[in-house]
Amino acid sequence: MARILVIEDNAPNMKLAVFLLGKEGHEVLQALDAEEGIRLARERLPDLILMDVQLPGMDGLTATRLLKGDAATRDIKVVAVTAFAMNGDREKIEAAGCDGYVAKPIRYQEFLKVVRDTLVG
């Protein structure tokens, strides 16, 4: 299966994502902030990054821009995981270079469908 990096600072959300992805057979890497996530992405080159938008320090959209601007990581698919669902938020997420997004609270069937679709697409 795929190697997936989850960048999430909320422990219950991280636990849920790791559980769901693990049940699907994926290898899951974990980072609690953007800086650690960028380091892991460069070292381990995951197939997919699930990026929380609101992170301590550097936010997830800034981290995505950095990853997409780096030749070593630009082709890694990034899905934003966000509580934002306002008009214009989707455009901000896409403008940062994200390949998709999942709304919080996470609904497991939708979450897994977005993961599957992004890995295939």
Side-chain angles (χ1 to χ4, degrees):
M1 296 305 293
R3 176 181 296 148
I4 300 175
L5 170 58
V6 179
I7 306 174
E8 171 64 68
D9 65 320
N10 179 282
N13 288 342
M14 176 68 84
K15 187 174 182 177
L16 178 60
V18 170
F19 173 76
L20 292 173
L21 296 168
K23 273 192 79 153
E24 294 285 303
H26 299 296
E27 175 187 351
V28 183
L29 308 172
Q30 302 175 49
L32 299 175
D33 60 39
E35 291 82 0
E36 182 183 6
I38 290 169
R39 181 185 59 76
L40 273 173
R42 289 177 175 150
E43 288 175 7
R44 302 292 305 274
L45 298 174
D47 302 298
L48 174 65
I49 298 172
L50 298 173
M51 176 79 73
D52 184 17
V53 172
Q54 289 189 292
L55 292 166
M58 181 188 310
D59 68 76
L61 297 182
T62 300
T64 299
R65 284 187 203 93
L66 288 172
L67 290 166
K68 292 296 187 171
D70 183 336
T73 55
R74 80 168 45 117
D75 294 330
I76 300 171
K77 301 280 188 177
V78 178
V79 171
V81 182
T82 179
F84 297 134
M86 308 287 266
N87 282 344
D89 288 331
R90 181 182 191 124
E91 290 78 16
K92 288 178 194 171
I93 289 167
E94 290 172 354
C98 293
D99 300 286
Y101 76 96
V102 175
K104 289 181 184 177
I106 293 173
R107 292 183 299 277
Y108 74 93
Q109 290 175 328
E110 176 192 349
F111 174 80
L112 292 174
K113 181 181 183 330
V114 170
V115 167
R116 273 189 232 100
D117 290 351
T118 304
L119 287 170
V120 171

